[in-house]
Amino acid sequence: MPDVNIVESLEDARNRLRTALTNAGRDPASAHLLAVSKTQPAASVRQAFEAGQREFGENYVQEALDKQAALADLDAIVWHFIGPLQSNKTRAVAEHFQWVHTLDRERIARRLAAQRPPALGPLDVCLQVNVSGEASKSGVAPADLPALADVVATLPQLRLRGLMTLPAPSDELTTQRRPFAELRELLASLRQRHPQAPLDTLSMGMSGDLEAAVLEGATWVRLGTAIFGQRAPRA
Ligand SMILES: *Cc1c(COP(=O)(O)O)cnc(C)c1O
């Protein structure tokens, strides 16, 4: 079992988010905690659920499916896919998640749309953007974002909710804020381009840079280690 008290660290994380929102002059209900449970056992997810957490983020499809099967009794749980998405995994994601935060290619968008079971309703998606200083190579370039958004907006099985980014870690608040500000501006432009889309989401900020993300308008902060403790190296 993990060496952290999940109930306490979840409470600390909620307080931290509330404080960050208040300090940013924002409504305390205007951003939500996504508990990133990658590499954590199903028992830890269950503990967080019992402590009131409903939204969980997973990065690896097979690991997530195993956990979902072990937690099938938790009707109100909401699963978000936040890892790199390969085309051979789109069907499982379309069938077993409510959100995808890491959509960055037209081909993946079309597959997710075609494979989304109608009974589940549209899949909520964020487009991952590779803003300056992005840690990974994934994400659409800002210049290519409008074209990708145009395609996604034509797919009724996908609901275009907003943007996500994953910047390189930094200890400096000013440096941390820059890519988040860029993402906020990109979302503002996208809203003008797609006034009909429910573009209400900025998925940005993790355990190390939550405050910077909240200052720039984050609506989902994705916290892993701050809730579950350090991750064991992936097998
Ligand atoms: C692992 C991960 C997180 C959580 O990171 P922590 O530093 O543990 O809070 C957030 N977002 C993505 C995309 C991740 O892969």
Side-chain angles (χ1 to χ4, degrees):
M1 287 305 283
D3 55 1
V4 293
N5 181 327
I6 290 173
V7 177
E8 277 176 17
S9 55
L10 193 53
E11 190 53 36
D12 290 346
R14 287 183 189 131
N15 287 333
R16 184 179 165 193
L17 177 58
R18 199 175 308 123
T19 302
L21 284 161
T22 304
N23 289 343
R26 295 179 53 191
D27 177 346
S30 59
H32 311 283
L33 208 54
L34 182 63
V36 176
S37 44
K38 63 172 176 236
T39 79
Q40 306 291 349
S44 296
V45 175
R46 186 178 292 278
Q47 268 185 287
F49 183 91
E50 283 167 0
Q53 179 67 29
R54 292 292 174 268
E55 318 267 342
F56 293 86
E58 289 281 342
N59 294 58
Y60 311 108
V61 175
Q62 191 52 53
E63 181 196 324
L65 297 184
D66 293 344
K67 247 176 266 185
Q68 290 171 352
L71 299 167
D73 56 310
L74 306 182
D75 287 336
I77 201 164
V78 181
W79 295 100
H80 296 235
F81 188 76
I82 63 167
L85 185 47
Q86 310 301 330
S87 40
N88 61 345
K89 299 286 170 64
T90 52
R91 180 177 298 282
V93 169
E95 290 178 352
H96 295 280
F97 287 82
Q98 182 52 40
W99 282 75
V100 171
H101 291 229
T102 45
L103 183 57
D104 64 357
R105 272 170 293 162
E106 176 180 338
R107 175 174 151 76
I108 299 288
R110 292 193 186 283
R111 289 178 65 91
L112 287 171
Q115 294 166 343
R116 179 69 172 172
L120 296 183
L123 182 67
D124 290 296
V125 299
C126 292
L127 306 181
Q128 182 177 357
V129 186
N130 192 336
V131 294
S132 51
E134 168 110 349
S136 74
K137 289 218 171 57
S138 33
V140 63
D144 299 329
L145 176 61
L148 178 60
D150 290 354
V151 170
V152 172
T154 66
L155 301 170
Q157 303 88 345
L158 305 185
R159 188 155 50 208
L160 181 57
R161 296 296 298 271
L163 303 177
M164 178 270 202
T165 196
L166 183 58
S170 156
D171 293 331
E172 265 289 308
L173 184 71
T174 317
T175 311
Q176 291 175 351
R177 286 182 72 164
R178 205 167 298 131
F180 296 147
E182 218 178 307
L183 200 69
R184 171 172 49 70
E185 286 161 16
L186 289 168
L187 182 68
S189 317
L190 215 53
R191 279 199 183 123
Q192 306 252 305
R193 191 177 175 94
H194 292 284
Q196 311 299 333
L199 285 162
D200 57 4
T201 303
L202 282 171
S203 169
M204 58 189 198
M206 314 198 290
S207 296
D209 53 17
L210 175 151
E211 285 76 15
V214 165
L215 282 168
E216 298 299 344
T219 64
W220 280 115
V221 293
R222 310 180 308 264
L223 294 194
T225 50
I227 294 172
F228 296 107
Q230 290 302 320
R231 287 178 285 273
R234 216 179 148 227

